Structure formats: structure tokens, C-alpha cells
Amino acid sequence: MTSCTICNLIEGEIIWSDDKLRVVLIDDKGYRGYCRVECIHHIKEMTDLDEALQLRIMRCVFKVEEALRKIFHPEKINLASLGNKTPHIHWHVIPRFKEDSHFPNSHWGKKLREGLHQPISTEEKKDLIKLLNQSLS
Amino acid sequence: MTSCTICNLIEGEIIWSDDKLRVVLIDDKGYRGYCRVECIHHIKEMTDLDEALQLRIMRCVFKVEEALRKIFHPEKINLASLGNKTPHIHWHVIPRFKEDSHFPNSHWGKKLREGLHQPISTEEKKDLIKLLNQSLS
């Protein structure tokens, strides 16, 4: 069995998927709406994929960004594919707010305040899933 | 005059550009080959752009990734569009090495060691520009 935390889906809830990709809602109370777009297969770098799949992943990332902006109206959206600890393609799509724990620092940077603790509501989650199904089907 | 540091091109050297985009080599001695793909116009979010331009930007980001992998053989490539402090689309394309100052943390996270100080060589820079001109023309 692999030790990869993305392969083993250790964190979050799948809210959309197809044969290559899935959108996972991360249960991060300080970062309401934080999603990850994950490659289902264990691939390390975007340039290990062919161009069609690269662009399909990015289209999915942008549809998630669009949905999160519509629902949460964040100050900024942060997008990142790092994977230094978990080298399996996964894109962080993070709605950022002036009052969150790190803003304007990166989510991985120095914490500046206690931050927000507003878990996603049932209604917001329903809206997010609906928007993704509309835009990604 | 705008105060935006990307509009004013405060940092780095343009190594490729067209009418919408430019690739800037950041002069970061601890992160050899660190590039940014910058939107020339002052636009905040990727989803403020039409799909064609979104994909054109990402194609450019991936061509930079490809060139950096060929030249530097990094342990991992980090890609990020944050912009909390400078809300003007710019993609960080960072070759990461096990010995760099923050690995496996994010470049914005906790520094773990003194890190590498190997500025890009004249030959490497020439190769990078050549590869970008080949793949992006």
C-alpha cells in the first residue's frame, strides 16, 4: 500500500470527480471553502502530463475559483501546486480574507492573528457542489 | 503613477514576452532559476480573464516549468499565484532543491537552513532563454 496521503485520500470530502480529477473540500475551519483539485493518478509534476490533461486540470481549478468567488466573495484567491512533502499533483484553491489567520501572508507563512472560524454552512456546500456540477459537466 | 510593483517591474529581468505576458527571471541567489510569469495588464484574478487567456498563461507557466526542469533538474517545481500583497496576476515558478533554505516547506514558510547560494550562470541563462523562445514562439 502506498504511503501517499493524496492516494489514500486522508483529508477532506470529494465534492466532484471524473475519471482523472477530483475536487476535495478540505475541512479547515479557519479557511472556509478551501478546496483542492487532485489528480487521481500519482503523478509528480504538471509537465509529466500531456498538454490536454494539463489544461483540463487548470480548467477545473478555475471553475473551482469561480464558484468560490461567487459564494464567498473573498478578498483574493490563492492558487498553488507545491507538493514538496506530497509529490502527487494537487492544486490548493484557497479563498483568502483580510481577517483570516495569515492574510496578507501566504497560508504557509507566518500566522498574524487568531483568524476566522466560520465553517462552511450546509447551504454554501450545497451551492458549491451545484456550481461545480453545472460548470464541469 | 500606479504603486503596483508588478506594473512598475520593480524586480527581475524580462527574459521572454509577448503582448499579454512576460517571463521574468528573479534575481534570487538562494533560488536559482526562480521565474515569474506575469500578466502585462493589471488584472487581479485568473477568473477575471477569458478562458483563452487563462489557458495561454498556464501554457506559458508549464513551458517555463519544462525549461527549468531541463536545465536545473530540481527535486520539485512549485507553482503559485497568490497576490495577497500585489493583486496583479503573477505566477511563481520555483525550482526547489532538497538543500534549499526552506525545503520541504514552502518558499513562504519557515526557513530551515542557510540554503544554496548558486546564482544562475551565464550559460544556464542563455539556455533558459533559448528554450523559452523555442517553446513559446
Side-chain angles (χ1 to χ4, degrees):
Chain A
M1 187 168 168
T2 171
S3 64
C4 172
T5 57
I6 304 280
C7 284
N8 290 321
L9 190 65
I10 293 298
E11 200 187 16
E13 177 190 344
I14 298 174
I15 55 171
W16 181 87
S17 68
D18 67 10
D19 60 322
K20 299 283 186 195
L21 299 177
R22 61 184 179 220
V23 180
V24 172
L25 178 65
I26 304 300
D27 184 24
D28 187 326
K29 288 179 183 51
Y31 282 89
R32 194 169 49 136
Y34 186 159
C35 287
R36 276 203 312 242
V37 174
E38 301 178 351
C39 211
I40 289 174
H41 294 107
H42 188 84
I43 311 276
K44 186 170 177 178
E45 302 281 13
M46 287 299 287
T47 49
D48 291 332
L49 304 172
D50 62 31
E51 192 167 292
L53 191 46
Q54 288 173 3
L55 299 185
R56 188 165 145 192
I57 292 174
M58 295 320 299
R59 190 172 167 268
C60 181
V61 168
F62 299 138
K63 293 302 180 191
V64 173
E65 168 175 319
E66 198 167 67
L68 293 174
R69 289 181 74 187
K70 263 189 197 151
I71 297 168
F72 298 108
H73 309 284
E75 178 63 27
K76 189 72 190 70
I77 289 282
N78 288 180
L79 305 175
S81 169
L82 309 178
N84 302 321
K85 292 172 190 167
T86 311
H88 173 146
I89 295 170
H90 59 284
W91 281 88
H92 302 269
V93 187
I94 318 176
R96 301 296 310 273
F97 299 89
K98 281 186 180 163
E99 309 76 19
D100 74 35
S101 51
H102 295 72
F103 197 90
N105 287 345
S106 112
H107 167 261
W108 299 275
K110 196 181 168 200
K111 184 174 172 175
L112 297 176
R113 63 190 73 82
E114 209 33 59
L116 296 158
H117 289 273
Q118 298 175 298
I120 190 167
S121 71
T122 312
E123 205 50 51
E124 287 165 340
K125 193 160 121 179
K126 219 184 276 177
D127 287 347
L128 179 56
I129 293 171
K130 193 176 156 194
L131 285 171
L132 294 181
N133 277 311
Q134 278 169 357
S135 63
L136 290 167
S137 56
Chain B
M1 188 167 168
T2 172
S3 64
C4 171
T5 56
I6 304 279
C7 285
N8 290 319
L9 192 64
I10 293 297
E11 200 188 15
E13 178 191 344
I14 298 174
I15 55 170
W16 181 87
S17 68
D18 66 11
D19 60 322
K20 298 284 187 195
L21 300 178
R22 62 185 178 222
V23 179
V24 172
L25 178 64
I26 305 300
D27 183 24
D28 188 326
K29 288 177 183 54
Y31 282 90
R32 195 170 47 139
Y34 185 159
C35 288
R36 275 203 311 241
V37 175
E38 301 178 351
C39 210
I40 289 174
H41 295 105
H42 187 85
I43 311 275
K44 186 170 177 178
E45 303 281 13
M46 288 298 286
T47 48
D48 292 331
L49 305 171
D50 63 31
E51 191 167 292
L53 190 46
Q54 288 172 4
L55 299 185
R56 189 165 145 192
I57 292 174
M58 295 321 300
R59 191 174 166 268
C60 181
V61 167
F62 299 138
K63 293 302 179 190
V64 174
E65 168 175 317
E66 198 167 67
L68 293 174
R69 289 181 73 186
K70 263 189 197 151
I71 297 168
F72 298 107
H73 309 286
E75 177 63 26
K76 189 70 191 69
I77 289 283
N78 288 180
L79 305 175
S81 169
L82 307 177
N84 302 321
K85 292 172 189 167
T86 310
H88 174 147
I89 294 169
H90 59 284
W91 280 88
H92 302 269
V93 187
I94 318 175
R96 300 296 309 273
F97 298 89
K98 281 186 181 163
E99 309 76 17
D100 74 35
S101 50
H102 295 71
F103 196 91
N105 287 346
S106 114
H107 167 261
W108 299 274
K110 196 180 169 201
K111 185 174 172 174
L112 297 177
R113 63 190 73 82
E114 209 34 59
L116 296 159
H117 289 273
Q118 298 174 299
I120 189 167
S121 72
T122 311
E123 206 50 52
E124 287 164 339
K125 192 160 122 181
K126 219 185 276 177
D127 287 346
L128 179 56
I129 293 171
K130 193 176 156 194
L131 285 172
L132 293 182
N133 277 312
Q134 280 168 355
S135 63
L136 290 167
S137 55

